[in-house]
Amino acid sequence: MVDPALASRLQFALTTIVHIIFPVMSMGLAPFLVYFTWKSIRSLDPLWERQRRFWTRIFAISFVVGTVTGLVLEFEFGTNFAAFSTFAGELFGGPLAAEGMMAFFLEATFLGVFVFGREKVGDALYMVSAVAVGLGTWLSAVWILIANSWMQTPRGYELARQNGQPVVTLVDPVAAYFNPRFPWMFVHMQSAAVLSVALFMAGVAAYFVYRSDRSRDGDEPDSSGDDGASEGAAGTDDVRFWRTTLKIALVVLLLTAPFQVVHGDSYARHVAETQPQKFAAMEAQYETEAPAALHLIAIPTDPSAFTDPRAENLWTVDIPAMASVLASGGDPTYEVTGLDEFGESPPVAIVFWSFRAMVLLGFWFIGLAAWAAYRWWRGDLFADRRLHLALMGSAPLGFVAVETGWIVTEVGRQPWVVQGLLKTEEGVSPGLTGTEATLTLVGFALVYTGLLVGYGYVVRRLVLAGPPEIESTADSSGSGQNPSQTDSTTTAEAIRDD
């Protein structure tokens, strides 16, 4: 059987990697839904009501699965990491309780109104429900990241002993909850969520735009640049729906992709100041140097060194002094602390390559956004099939970037679970056996694989079903009523139909 500490770490990593997909989807969709709801209330155009209904379905299923998988993580603090809970419970428990009592209840309460109550409440209350749901998802991130950021840069505590066990006690809540890492993590995470969903939306929309062009046998791709007004009667609304989706997603991608890279650069300098061993692992910096080169590629020359965090025999492709420039914000003579200054190191290969994958994806997103912007400016955004294929292939890559960034954050902190205070292996439940930990690891691997496959199947069905049909009565009756108030098919019925 696997060592209980290793099995527990693998299990928590597995459940977190799967879970993080769902809150990223719901957090990223939240601002889009607020915008679509506002437009659907203010406009007589049924396009916006269709947008709201279509993306609400994916938000709702992501919220449900995210809630289930998130509860499992909290249980694991008791089953697999009871020693950690005993040690840090006074600081860690508060934010988790606040997340449940404040953010989750706010989100869950108004989600019922938002999903099922469009025809039962007025426009003002319905708009409030959309904002409350979005606010709840982001508040949830606030409390979770407060807890996690405290583990990265612990502040506002004192070490004490209770029943012979070392514990931390909360002495300054402001310093603890608004520790130096929190604002960096929150901004980076929320921006990443919005960017990931924008890529997902752009990829889905590009698929339907691409398919609509291919379905016109013998026709040349439409280069009119309009929103589908020239498509004819059948399918015109759907073509317009997806072209509008593509444009909105690209605008958001143009804003978030460059911001994420610029913010990430500053975030990395903060990491260099507060967790130098993590920064050294991100750059495979084994010795303290000034100036320090940036390793674009670093591969051990001995295969056995792949599993050795102290491996120093590397084949590298370097940019001289660039690591000093990045760590200092411009000084090529800046001294970068190496791993040789620390007694223990995180697994360098995992951190190094995860960081590079995240950075590479970040620059790809900028290039993709620039490519689309150029095509849009030329008036052939809907005609460039290579761009459509690139957007389709990039649809899941925002989530991949989030996963690799999270790996850098968590694995780069090792061997500590609370930086400088408690090692991960010391936080494992003392009574947990290797058999128990291994069996639950296997069980969670099977269940979460099935859950992920099921979620993907449902989302695929929702996407392929396309946007719901809504009849606009504004033109025919001249009543001026909002389409959402007169449509006989409610959002709840539409979701149940799926």
Side-chain angles (χ1 to χ4, degrees), residues 209 213 216 220-231 239-240 242-248 250 372-384 388:
V209 172
D213 278 344
R216 288 175 293 179
E220 291 297 323
D222 179 18
S223 59
S224 61
D226 61 24
D227 287 336
S230 61
E231 288 292 325
V239 172
R240 181 167 174 257
W242 292 117
R243 291 185 173 187
T244 303
T245 301
L246 180 58
K247 285 184 173 183
I248 292 173
L250 290 177
Y374 174 72
R375 285 302 191 186
W376 193 348
W377 176 68
R378 290 286 303 270
D380 54 5
L381 173 64
F382 305 126
D384 189 339
H388 301 160

Side-chain angles (χ1 to χ4, degrees), residues 444-477:
F444 274 110
L446 294 174
V447 171
Y448 270 56
T449 299
L451 193 65
L452 197 57
V453 171
Y455 173 79
Y457 173 76
V458 172
V459 170
R460 180 176 178 274
R461 284 202 61 183
L462 291 175
V463 168
L464 293 180
E469 296 297 332
I470 297 176
E471 293 183 4
S472 173
T473 60
D475 293 337
S476 58
S477 66

Side-chain angles (χ1 to χ4, degrees), residues 5-266:
L6 177 59
S8 296
R9 295 170 72 171
L10 291 174
Q11 179 178 310
F12 199 85
L14 168 71
T15 50
T16 303
I17 284 174
V18 174
H19 167 72
I20 201 170
I21 295 171
F22 313 116
V24 166
M25 181 66 86
S26 57
M27 289 188 301
L29 273 173
F32 288 98
L33 290 178
V34 171
Y35 176 71
F36 293 150
T37 302
W38 178 75
K39 291 288 289 184
S40 69
I41 291 174
R42 298 283 296 178
S43 172
L44 298 176
D45 190 341
L47 167 71
W48 303 108
E49 180 65 10
R50 300 182 81 200
Q51 291 279 1
R52 184 193 66 76
R53 292 188 183 193
F54 179 80
W55 295 108
T56 296
R57 298 174 183 181
I58 296 177
F59 177 91
I61 189 67
S62 301
F63 172 82
V64 171
V65 181
T67 301
V68 173
T69 54
L71 286 174
V72 170
L73 291 177
E74 299 202 14
F75 284 130
E76 286 179 324
F77 289 126
T79 56
N80 294 71
F81 294 96
F84 162 75
S85 299
T86 300
F87 177 78
E90 185 167 326
L91 281 97
F92 205 76
L96 294 186
E99 190 263 343
M101 298 295 291
M102 183 187 298
F104 176 74
F105 284 155
L106 174 68
E107 185 179 4
T109 301
F110 281 95
L111 185 64
V113 178
F114 184 64
V115 174
F116 300 110
R118 182 64 189 101
E119 286 73 32
K120 297 179 177 60
V121 299
D123 289 347
L125 180 56
Y126 193 72
M127 189 68 225
V128 168
S129 72
V131 174
V133 167
L135 181 63
T137 63
W138 282 48
L139 271 178
S140 180
V142 167
W143 290 110
I144 294 300
L145 293 179
I146 281 177
N148 189 277
S149 61
W150 181 83
M151 297 162 64
Q152 311 287 336
T153 53
R155 300 288 190 278
Y157 70 92
E158 283 185 352
L159 288 173
R161 298 191 76 83
Q162 289 181 357
N163 301 322
Q165 299 294 320
V167 297
V168 292
T169 59
L170 181 63
V171 296
D172 187 345
V174 174
Y177 293 166
F178 297 97
N179 61 81
R181 180 59 53 82
F182 170 69
W184 292 102
M185 292 188 76
F186 180 74
V187 173
H188 207 64
M189 186 69 200
Q190 300 311 99
S191 175
V194 175
L195 188 156
S196 300
V197 168
L199 269 172
F200 176 75
M201 293 174 70
V204 170
Y207 166 74
F208 284 100
V209 172
Y210 180 87
R211 197 174 70 169
S212 68
D213 278 344
R214 286 177 60 88
S215 66
R216 288 175 293 179
D217 293 336
D219 289 352
E220 291 297 323
D222 179 18
S223 59
S224 61
D226 61 24
D227 287 336
S230 61
E231 288 292 325
T236 297
D237 287 346
D238 283 354
V239 172
R240 181 167 174 257
F241 178 93
W242 292 117
R243 291 185 173 187
T244 303
T245 301
L246 180 58
K247 285 184 173 183
I248 292 173
L250 290 177
V251 168
V252 175
L253 185 62
L254 276 167
L255 295 173
T256 53
F259 172 80
Q260 194 71 352
V261 170
V262 173
H263 183 266
D265 177 62
S266 300

